[in-house]
Amino acid sequence: MGNIRNFLWSSFITNLGNGLQILGAGFIAYETTESIYSLAFVFMAYSAPQLFASYFVSPVLERFGPRGVAAFSDFMRAILLGGLGLVIFLDHNVLFFTYLLTFCSLA
């Protein structure tokens, strides 16, 4: 029973975090350009890794294991999120980094 409870809580927190990330990325994209097309591009960038990487995931998971792939994905997301914070602080091209972070969030 404890494993099921841990799984449900971790799934809830993961999905909440992913939802907040896409919401924040969409907000940044829309506030930067004031264009609905940039918001649509954020959603396309969010869905593209699922579409394109689905064929290549199985060999990668077999070679590196699910924990290794998840750790690498979380590490890359942390680096990109830190980079987004730095880009926002330095007031550079925030939109490109937002698209990049959104694209890499599920890859």
Side-chain angles (χ1 to χ4, degrees):
M1 186 65 162
N3 287 337
I4 293 173
R5 190 176 319 138
N6 288 340
F7 172 74
L8 290 175
W9 274 111
S10 64
S11 295
F12 171 73
I13 290 172
T14 299
N15 289 330
L16 181 67
N18 286 340
L20 290 175
Q21 180 181 350
I22 191 67
L23 183 68
F27 179 76
I28 289 173
Y30 185 75
E31 287 294 316
T32 303
T33 62
E34 295 183 1
S35 171
I36 197 70
Y37 294 114
S38 62
L39 183 62
F41 192 73
V42 166
F43 289 124
M44 287 184 347
Y46 187 74
S47 301
Q50 294 174 349
L51 179 66
F52 297 126
S54 62
Y55 297 110
F56 306 109
V57 168
S58 181
V60 172
L61 284 174
E62 288 176 4
R63 181 168 181 176
F64 298 109
R67 287 186 181 180
V69 172
F72 179 75
S73 175
D74 288 344
F75 179 71
M76 292 306 296
R77 185 187 291 188
I79 288 175
L80 288 171
L81 197 56
L84 179 62
L86 184 65
V87 165
I88 290 172
F89 179 73
L90 296 176
D91 201 26
H92 285 287
N93 190 0
V94 176
L95 195 59
F96 171 74
F97 227 77
T98 303
Y99 291 146
L100 182 65
L101 178 66
T102 303
F103 182 77
C104 294
S105 67
L106 290 178

